Amino acid sequence: MMDQLVIGGRSLQSRLFIGTGKYSADALIPEVVKKSGSEVITVALRRIDFNSPMGNVMDHIPSGMQLLPNTSGARNAQEAIRIARLAKAAGCGNWIKIEVISDNKYLLPDGYETIKATEVLAGEGFVVLPYISPDLMVAKHLVEVGAAAVMPLGAPIGSNRGLKTKELLRILIEEIALPVIVDAGIGKPSDACEAMEMGAAACLLNTAIASANQPELMAEAFGMAVAAGRKAYLAGLGRSEKYASSSSPLTGFLHN
Amino acid sequence: MSFYDEFLQYSDADMEAVFQHTTSADIERIIGKDRLTPKDFLALLSPKAEEHLEWMAQKANELTVQNFGRVILLYTPMYLSDYCTNKCTYCGFNVTNTFTRKQLTMEEVEKEAQTVAASGIQHILILTGEAPAIAGVPYMKECVGILKRYFSSIAIEVYAMEEEEYAELMEAGVESMTMYQETYNPLLYDRLHLKGPKKDYRYRLDAPERACRAGMRGVNIGALLGLDDWRRDGFFTGLHANYLQNKYPGVEVSISLPRIRPTMGNCETGNSVNDKSIVQFMTAFRLFMPRAGMPLSTRENAEFRNHAIKLGITKMSAGVQTAVGGHIDSQENSGQFAVSDTRNVKEMSDAILQLGYQPVFKDWQAI
């Protein structure tokens, strides 16, 4: 059975999306990509210097990867839209991850501005993947305005705290027909595995790999964890019982 | 309501008493916390916390890597004008210092820009003394118009302005601002600033907030360490940064930790700040505000700067000339302060890479 994730008309074998920030050297990226098996990579447009004679992060992204430029640095819809258009004009393709953040303390996304930016960009033909807090109503509005997926956070960006928003993620997975990609907060491969077991369509993470002592090894671990979680989800998790099946059941005396 | 009101709540606090009552157990508990209160931050600045400096450094490193990664943004200052109407006892631009003052022409700005841009630098910090009649907003806007063609980010470190003036400069292409309060001690401030508009303590104190209100993307503040007791000025710097971040969450707040350096005016303050003190301040602040930026200038020497990369620093200057026109004429010697780390951009980049970090040249695109 082929199990593929399809977004924006593109079929993806791997359900692990990775980032490009925070590495001690961009030269690590090709090996991280290879070991993770990832096919989608996000990059902050604000960091790309197309005119730099010294090269830039784009030089290290293997060809064939689906590029997912993000609007990091945007504080409102208008800025996100301008960054998205710049990315497209610069040859980064038509996928865009909307990040609208006006909270520098926790880096929590602004749902209202994100919806506005998504509506405009989806209307212009972008494949829009918005980063959001796991709010059902925000996610529903994003579906209405043409998002290609929703990307709720498991915990604040870079926190490595895991799936702190688990109950809300579960609701989104149950209620939203689009792919739900858990983005931000995933700190351990077991967190990614758990998100996939719950039915998430994919996971996006950066800090957990980039800040590891051996990023390539951690990338491999995440690739395996996401694949394992997906298989478990497809296999159907066994029912978890609150009470053990007693050999002397309390209701065993009831014969009729 | 401004930071001044919060400052007043703490200005009479008996910090010595707090320090005396701080125990090792307090410090250990605070280091283990996820969110620190201003009182926790003060405890980490205490003499008692010095005994736990390595542990603070380990956690500061962990938080910095987590929030910023193993990267250091490189920037360089460009001095546009050293005309100044202020008489500050510790500054080389002091109006009473006798040297030939200079202000770059637009042709010179362009030449400086070309020289700096050729080194790979994309983030530029422009500086002037306080002489609005000569190097005022119209002059700065003209300079920014040229610099925009060469750099992806332009920051200012100039005199305290009105909110409308900050907005005007942002419209022209400025993205962030730096404003050093120098010292948060109002009495000492009055004694050090003998003459000129900078003498107005409160007007300067509220300048970063006016910039926030104008919509500036980044605001960097700091005290000139060595003027007053560093623990006291360090605490108020952190308190001020915390105030700005809480009130203006969209602004990227950062602090600098400049130590006083020799200038033409040479000012003996009697409050020397050693390396250990700076590290304590740096790491305590990182624990207090894990997501705040922390630039480190070339006032510090190369060895200290190399070590500081792992203690919470997020940005560094490189290839620094503190004289007007210094990038096109390195013989200029009337700088604002003496540079201690004289490495050029290539040497600094190589050193950062050797330390297992990546030098970043571009982290913002003006849109």
Side-chain angles (χ1 to χ4, degrees), chain B residues 134-147:
Chain B
I134 305 170
V137 172
Y139 171 74
M140 287 181 221
K141 281 169 68 177
E142 206 177 343
C143 293
V144 168
I146 292 169
L147 295 171

Side-chain angles (χ1 to χ4, degrees), chain A residues 20-27 45-50 54 72-75 78-80 82-83 86 101-107 157-161 207 210-213 215, chain B residues 34-35 65-71 118-122 152 170 215-218 242 245-246 248-253 291 353 356-367:
Chain A
T20 49
K22 300 187 177 181
Y23 285 101
S24 59
D26 287 340
L45 187 76
R46 71 180 194 175
R47 279 243 168 124
I48 306 174
D49 183 3
F50 292 99
M54 290 170 290
S72 165
R75 297 191 298 187
Q78 193 187 12
E79 289 182 353
R82 286 163 72 183
I83 293 171
L86 268 174
I101 293 173
S102 54
D103 155 45
N104 276 302
K105 194 168 179 183
Y106 297 104
L107 298 181
I157 291 178
S159 68
N160 285 353
R161 286 175 180 273
T207 304
S211 64
N213 287 336
Chain B
D34 283 337
R35 300 294 307 169
V65 169
Q66 192 177 318
N67 284 295
F68 296 89
R70 291 187 178 88
V71 296
S119 71
I121 290 285
Q122 281 289 300
S152 69
M170 284 179 58
M216 200 69 81
R217 302 191 71 87
N242 190 46
Q245 187 70 98
N246 287 336
Y248 303 95
V251 178
E252 287 183 16
V253 175
R291 287 210 36 80
L353 283 166
Y357 279 66
Q358 179 172 205
V360 168
F361 290 88
K362 183 188 167 205
D363 193 36
W364 181 247
Q365 169 80 55
I367 56 167

Side-chain angles (χ1 to χ4, degrees), chain B residues 101-310:
Chain B
R101 306 266 168 176
K102 185 171 179 178
Q103 178 159 314
L104 296 184
T105 64
M106 291 309 131
E107 290 73 28
E108 288 169 326
V109 170
E110 182 128 29
K111 277 185 191 166
E112 284 264 308
Q114 285 166 347
T115 308
V116 174
S119 71
I121 290 285
Q122 281 289 300
H123 285 234
I124 194 92
L125 171 67
I126 55 176
L127 298 94
T128 66
E130 179 151 7
I134 305 170
V137 172
Y139 171 74
M140 287 181 221
K141 281 169 68 177
E142 206 177 343
C143 293
V144 168
I146 292 169
L147 295 171
K148 271 200 300 194
R149 300 204 293 267
Y150 295 92
F151 303 102
S152 69
S153 165
I154 301 169
I156 52 168
E157 185 180 334
V158 298
Y159 56 91
M161 292 179 170
E162 292 296 321
E163 185 180 328
E164 297 72 27
E165 293 176 302
Y166 286 125
E168 208 177 323
L169 285 171
M170 284 179 58
E171 183 67 26
V174 169
E175 178 222 337
S176 57
M177 65 87 83
T178 286
M179 176 61 60
Y180 293 145
Q181 185 58 29
E182 318 296 10
T183 176
Y184 284 83
N185 177 339
L187 295 175
L188 178 63
Y189 186 93
D190 194 55
R191 287 206 301 275
L192 294 171
H193 301 94
L194 304 175
K195 196 183 127 192
K198 191 172 169 181
K199 197 168 177 61
D200 188 338
Y201 174 91
R202 178 77 192 269
Y203 186 73
R204 191 169 184 87
L205 189 73
D206 289 339
E209 182 159 11
R210 289 196 295 276
C212 289
R213 280 204 303 266
M216 200 69 81
R217 302 191 71 87
V219 168
N220 180 45
I221 60 170
L224 185 50
L225 301 173
L227 294 178
D228 195 12
D229 171 23
W230 71 268
R231 297 181 204 275
R232 192 177 175 82
D233 268 341
F235 174 69
F236 284 116
T237 305
L239 200 66
H240 196 176
N242 190 46
Y243 167 87
L244 293 172
Q245 187 70 98
N246 287 336
K247 192 164 179 186
Y248 303 95
V251 178
E252 287 183 16
V253 175
S254 56
I255 69 155
S256 290
L257 313 86
R259 265 192 280 195
I260 197 156
R261 293 281 299 153
T263 68
M264 282 180 296
N266 269 333
C267 165
E268 292 298 329
T269 63
N271 280 302
S272 66
V273 188
N274 61 30
D275 289 0
K276 196 173 179 184
S277 306
I278 295 277
V279 167
Q280 187 178 353
F281 179 22
M282 201 177 271
T283 55
F285 180 72
R286 173 54 69 227
L287 268 58
F288 181 48
M289 291 186 67
R291 287 210 36 80
M294 231 191 295
L296 189 64
S297 80
T298 52
R299 287 171 182 264
E300 302 300 333
N301 65 42
E303 189 195 359
F304 184 86
R305 295 219 310 163
N306 285 356
H307 287 292
I309 285 177
K310 295 189 176 173

Side-chain angles (χ1 to χ4, degrees), chain A residues 3 48 50 61-62 64 76 107 110 125 130 146 152 169 182 195 214 219 241 256:
Chain A
D3 175 41
I48 306 174
F50 292 99
I61 297 175
N76 53 45
L107 298 181
D110 182 328
L169 291 172
V182 178
Q214 295 184 61
E241 295 287 353
N256 298 311

Side-chain angles (χ1 to χ4, degrees), chain B residues 70-105:
Chain B
R70 291 187 178 88
V71 296
I72 296 288
L73 176 78
L74 289 179
Y75 70 98
T76 214
M78 181 185 288
Y79 284 76
L80 299 177
S81 170
D82 52 21
Y83 285 93
C84 195
T85 53
N86 289 315
K87 192 173 173 185
C88 311
T89 56
Y90 52 85
C91 180
F93 291 175
N94 186 325
V95 67
T96 59
N97 285 345
T98 46
F99 64 97
T100 309
R101 306 266 168 176
K102 185 171 179 178
Q103 178 159 314
L104 296 184
T105 64

